[in-house]
Amino acid sequence: MNREKIRRAFLPLLLGLAVVSLAGCRSREDLPFYRMESEGNSQVLCVDGVRYERSYPREDEEAYIRYSGSRYCWTTTEAEYGPQIGVCGEDADKTPALNIYEVAGDKERTFLYTYPVHFYIGGPDYSLWRREGVTLGAPSAETVASISFICQEDSLFQVDDPALIAAFMEVYHSDGQPPADIEDGAGWRGCSLIMRHKEYPFLQYEIECYYSPEQKTACYRTSPLGEWFPFPAAWYEIISEADFPAGEA
């Protein structure tokens, strides 16, 4: 992993810590306490009469504040942290375990996120709480509003055309797509493809890509440990015209 990727990986953590520090300026005694309970394979949080839930174990979740595990999922866009609205915990004596925050840009409070009250080393809780009945699933032509190709923090191009998005989604979900051979050819370098949610624009779905400035082509994969696949033919013109940056992956 290069220096830039390391910086990007730790940026959400640093922002989260900054939020927690700022939230500490307000006394927790002034914030309402909400009970967090377990129901089957889910945890449930009732906030002002609205039920929120998240799957447990966490590997079943569809969205996180940030995620770097063995699969891709929806995450909040960078710096999309809202105000603290309360605390929650499982103790009957109202001992707070997690701070509760809004997600900036989510006016309907469809999602909330929690962060530990006390800082500790080793895997803070970054998962989002979804309003009961809300599901996200994998990206699709119906749920993706735009797709951006990002290399070295710079956006090479953004696709808003529904037909091009549908063309990508068709091969993205295809079981018969032949894998790309990225060992052939010179200069394959890493980048990201970011899909923005149509209904919840504060959510994004980032997957890994490889591009070749020499060949003016690119490929992607649907999971961090999966095979690489070529983009659909409808995308070739856009990719070939992109100003790929030179430099190391």
Side-chain angles (χ1 to χ4, degrees), residues 136-199:
L136 292 171
S140 68
E142 292 72 32
T143 60
V144 172
S146 66
I147 301 177
S148 299
F149 205 89
I150 310 293
C151 293
Q152 299 178 8
E153 297 295 306
D154 295 323
S155 177
L156 296 189
F157 58 81
Q158 177 173 306
V159 172
D160 303 292
D161 184 351
L164 288 175
I165 293 174
F168 178 73
M169 289 291 100
E170 182 177 358
V171 299
Y172 186 84
H173 292 291
S174 174
D175 294 331
Q177 177 80 338
D181 185 3
I182 63 172
E183 299 300 328
D184 295 334
W188 287 102
R189 301 186 177 101
C191 57
S192 298
L193 186 145
I194 297 178
M195 294 172 267
R196 288 295 187 100
H197 202 284
K198 186 177 297 184
E199 185 175 359

Side-chain angles (χ1 to χ4, degrees), residues 51-52 83 106 114 131 140 159 193 206 227 231 238-239:
R51 284 168 56 94
Y52 294 85
D106 183 9
T114 52
R131 181 179 293 184
S140 68
V159 172
L193 186 145
E206 181 175 353
E227 293 185 292
F231 277 79
I238 298 175
I239 292 173

Side-chain angles (χ1 to χ4, degrees), residues 81-119:
Y81 299 94
Q84 183 176 0
I85 62 172
V87 294
C88 65
E90 296 180 343
D91 297 334
D93 60 359
K94 295 187 177 181
T95 301
L98 302 172
N99 295 319
I100 309 172
Y101 301 91
E102 291 182 352
V103 176
D106 183 9
K107 297 180 180 180
E108 302 298 324
R109 280 193 183 176
T110 306
F111 297 87
L112 299 174
Y113 74 91
T114 52
Y115 199 92
V117 169
H118 303 289
F119 175 77

Side-chain angles (χ1 to χ4, degrees), residues 5-237:
K5 289 183 178 179
I6 293 174
R7 188 190 72 81
R8 289 184 63 195
F10 279 94
L11 180 59
L13 173 60
L14 295 176
L15 289 172
L17 292 176
V19 169
V20 172
S21 299
L22 292 173
C25 298
R26 181 181 178 184
S27 173
R28 290 195 183 93
E29 285 73 17
D30 297 334
L31 296 169
F33 177 90
Y34 299 99
R35 184 74 180 273
M36 182 172 59
E37 300 180 347
S38 297
E39 293 185 4
N41 292 326
S42 299
Q43 287 183 304
V44 176
L45 183 65
C46 188
V47 176
D48 299 333
V50 179
R51 284 168 56 94
Y52 294 85
E53 60 185 2
R54 58 180 181 178
S55 301
Y56 187 84
R58 290 178 58 180
E59 285 74 14
D60 294 335
E61 272 293 3
E62 299 172 319
Y64 284 85
I65 297 176
R66 66 173 180 82
Y67 196 76
S68 59
S70 60
R71 63 183 180 82
Y72 301 125
C73 69
W74 294 99
T75 61
T76 55
T77 55
E78 289 185 358
E80 294 288 354
Y81 299 94
Q84 183 176 0
I85 62 172
V87 294
C88 65
E90 296 180 343
D91 297 334
D93 60 359
K94 295 187 177 181
T95 301
L98 302 172
N99 295 319
I100 309 172
Y101 301 91
E102 291 182 352
V103 176
D106 183 9
K107 297 180 180 180
E108 302 298 324
R109 280 193 183 176
T110 306
F111 297 87
L112 299 174
Y113 74 91
T114 52
Y115 199 92
V117 169
H118 303 289
F119 175 77
Y120 64 92
I121 302 297
D125 192 338
Y126 284 104
S127 59
L128 295 177
W129 295 77
R130 293 170 288 120
R131 181 179 293 184
E132 189 176 44
V134 173
T135 57
L136 292 171
S140 68
E142 292 72 32
T143 60
V144 172
S146 66
I147 301 177
S148 299
F149 205 89
I150 310 293
C151 293
Q152 299 178 8
E153 297 295 306
D154 295 323
S155 177
L156 296 189
F157 58 81
Q158 177 173 306
V159 172
D160 303 292
D161 184 351
L164 288 175
I165 293 174
F168 178 73
M169 289 291 100
E170 182 177 358
V171 299
Y172 186 84
H173 292 291
S174 174
D175 294 331
Q177 177 80 338
D181 185 3
I182 63 172
E183 299 300 328
D184 295 334
W188 287 102
R189 301 186 177 101
C191 57
S192 298
L193 186 145
I194 297 178
M195 294 172 267
R196 288 295 187 100
H197 202 284
K198 186 177 297 184
E199 185 175 359
Y200 311 115
F202 47 86
L203 295 182
Q204 66 180 28
Y205 200 98
E206 181 175 353
I207 66 174
E208 295 170 279
C209 298
Y210 262 116
Y211 70 94
S212 173
E214 291 82 359
Q215 300 182 36
K216 291 293 184 180
T217 189
C219 56
Y220 67 93
R221 59 182 179 182
T222 59
S223 68
L225 302 177
E227 293 185 292
W228 297 96
F229 298 99
F231 277 79
W235 282 60
Y236 287 166
E237 182 177 355

